[in-house]
Every structure is written in structure tokens, then in C-alpha cells.
Amino acid sequence: MDKLTEVNNQRQSPISFIEKLLIAHWRSLLLLLIGVYLPLQVFEILAVKIWQNEAGFPWDLPILWTVHSTANPQLDILAVTLAKFGSFWTALPILSAIALILLFQKRWRSLAYLLTTSVGSSIINRTAKALMHRVRPDLWQSNAPEFDFAFPSGHAMTSVTLVAILLILAWANPWRWLLFVFGSLYVIAIGWCRLYLGVHFPSDILAGWMVALAWAIGVSLIIKPHLAKVTPVDDSDRAVNETSLLPEEKQLVTED
């Protein structure tokens, strides 16, 4: 029987094999396209345009002035408060607490994902700011001024990175859609406060969202921060604990 299966596999045409391979992985490929490639394309367009012309896009200033036209003392307080909640120093204790929980639960794969995504996002932001050297807008006196470079927005990247990590780690939880809704509102609120305070152009915010989203999803496709399924053993699916490497990961380690 094994020999017959081997012969059938050998007779399988390349087209048939590719078709089955694509069908088996279409979800991952679609996620790679929508969650990684498209956001990176948007970020690239923004970065190239700003590199060529620091003034940015014709819609940057009109949006900023429109947001500023709604200014009042109550919104001033709200914007400054939101800016604090969207900073790296607010996200750090939250991520640290989650990391300790994952460490205590021995969820090494999820822990590796959290650390790689959060640290990598910070490195990407600092590197991009240093390379782009985009000066922040200076249209009115801000209630919470910033003095480093503008592109991409660190607050935008931090908010998306935090929400993406929480969503991906809690994806098996039925409350994930509620987290998605509140997380989206949080991300939008942080983006709004940066515009309201006049410390970022809209293109800075959009670029931060896109690159952070692409990074968080891309890392999840590599590390797979969930229990993974292996090939059937004794006609039943067996879940591999997060302390175990996947078969293909073991092979890579052995080859190295």
C-alpha cells in the first residue's frame, strides 16, 4: 500500500501539486498579501514621496487645519491625555505584564512573538526617523510639543503594535471581535490626538499604521504564536505545546 501511494505521488503532475499546495495555504497567502505586502506598498509610496519632497502631500496641511479648527479647552485636555496613553512608556508596562504572564504559563512561542514584534517595531521607528529626517509641522503652538523627527509617527506605530499583539495572542478567544472594535477606536483616537496637537502630518500617522501592521502580521506568520497542528498521529490530530518546535523548525535547527 505504501509503495502504491509513493508511485501515485511520483505520477502527480507539477500543476496538480502546486494547485493543492496553494489551496492548503490560501489563507496564509491572502494574509501575506493584505496584511504585509499592501501595507508595505503604502508605506513605500509615502516614504519615497516624502524623501523627494519633505513638504509631503497636498492633503497633509488641509487635514491638519481642519482638525485644528475644532480646538477647544475640553479637547485640549483629551488630546494631551490620549497622547500619554499612546506613548511607548504606557505600552511598555502593559507588554511587560503580558510577557510575565506568558513566561509563567510557559508559552514560549507567544512570548517570542511579543518580544520580537514590540522590540522590532521600536527599532523600525527609530531607524526610519533617523533616515527620513522629516521635521514636524509648525503651524500653531502645541500643548504637548515634540522635538524629534516626525516620520513615521511613534505613537501611531506603538498603538497599532500593541493592539495587533493583543489581537493575535487572543485570536482563539471569542472576545477577539470586541477587542478588535475597541482596539481600532484606540488606534484612531491616538492618531487623532497627534494631529490635533499639531505634532504630526497625516502622512506620518498613516505610515506608522502601515509599517507597524505589516511588521506585526509578518512576524506572526513566521513565529506562529499559537498552538500548532502537526501531521496526524494514530489517525487523530495532536496539538503541539508552545514549548515544542514545529517539524520544519526542528529541521532548520538540525541543518544549521
Side-chain angles (χ1 to χ4, degrees):
M1 184 65 180
D2 292 339
K3 291 183 178 181
L4 180 60
T5 302
E6 184 178 352
V7 172
N8 290 334
N9 289 337
Q10 291 175 351
R11 291 178 180 176
Q12 188 178 31
S13 67
I15 295 178
S16 177
F17 173 78
I18 294 173
E19 180 183 1
K20 292 179 179 179
L21 186 66
L22 294 178
I23 291 174
H25 297 284
W26 72 269
R27 291 182 180 86
S28 296
L29 292 171
L30 184 62
L31 183 60
L32 187 64
L33 173 65
I34 298 176
V36 179
Y37 173 74
L38 292 182
L40 283 180
Q41 280 293 93
V42 174
F43 176 78
E44 179 188 9
I45 293 171
L46 294 170
V48 170
K49 177 67 175 179
I50 292 169
W51 183 267
Q52 296 172 345
N53 179 18
E54 188 178 325
F57 299 84
W59 39 267
D60 270 332
L61 292 182
I63 292 177
L64 272 175
W65 282 117
T66 300
V67 174
H68 182 62
S69 67
T70 64
N72 62 64
Q74 290 75 26
L75 289 180
D76 289 348
I77 296 173
L78 176 62
V80 172
T81 303
L82 285 174
K84 294 178 181 178
F85 278 105
S87 71
F88 169 79
W89 299 110
T90 299
L92 181 61
I94 297 174
L95 293 174
S96 299
I98 298 173
L100 288 175
I101 294 173
L102 296 176
L103 181 65
F104 179 76
Q105 295 177 343
K106 296 183 179 180
R107 295 177 57 183
W108 310 136
R109 189 177 295 275
S110 295
L111 179 60
Y113 171 73
L114 183 149
L115 294 176
T116 304
T117 304
S118 56
V119 173
S121 179
S122 180
I123 293 174
I124 291 171
N125 180 258
R126 292 300 174 187
T127 303
K129 283 179 181 290
L131 289 175
M132 298 301 294
H133 278 204
R134 191 186 197 188
V135 178
R136 293 178 183 270
D138 187 18
L139 304 177
W140 60 83
Q141 185 174 357
S142 175
N143 291 322
E146 300 280 358
F147 303 102
D148 59 345
F149 294 115
F151 184 93
S153 166
H155 278 67
M157 286 191 65
T158 298
S159 61
V160 169
T161 300
L162 177 60
V163 172
I165 288 174
L166 293 176
L167 266 176
I168 290 174
L169 293 181
W171 194 248
N173 193 299
W175 295 96
R176 63 183 180 275
W177 296 112
L178 189 62
L179 177 60
F180 174 79
V181 171
F182 282 100
S184 299
L185 292 176
Y186 166 73
V187 167
I188 293 172
I190 297 302
W192 167 83
C193 84
R194 306 311 284 161
L195 299 178
Y196 182 89
L197 293 170
V199 294
H200 275 297
F201 295 101
S203 50
D204 298 333
I205 305 296
L206 182 58
W209 285 347
M210 293 297 101
V211 71
L213 182 64
W215 173 251
I217 293 178
V219 174
S220 74
L221 292 174
I222 296 173
I223 296 182
K224 301 180 177 67
H226 295 289
L227 295 181
K229 294 290 185 179
V230 297
T231 52
V233 177
D234 295 332
D235 298 327
S236 62
D237 288 340
R238 181 169 61 89
V240 177
N241 190 275
E242 288 196 3
T243 58
S244 302
L245 293 175
L246 296 173
E248 59 268 26
E249 293 169 338
K250 291 181 180 179
Q251 184 178 358
L252 289 174
V253 172
T254 302
E255 290 176 355
D256 291 341

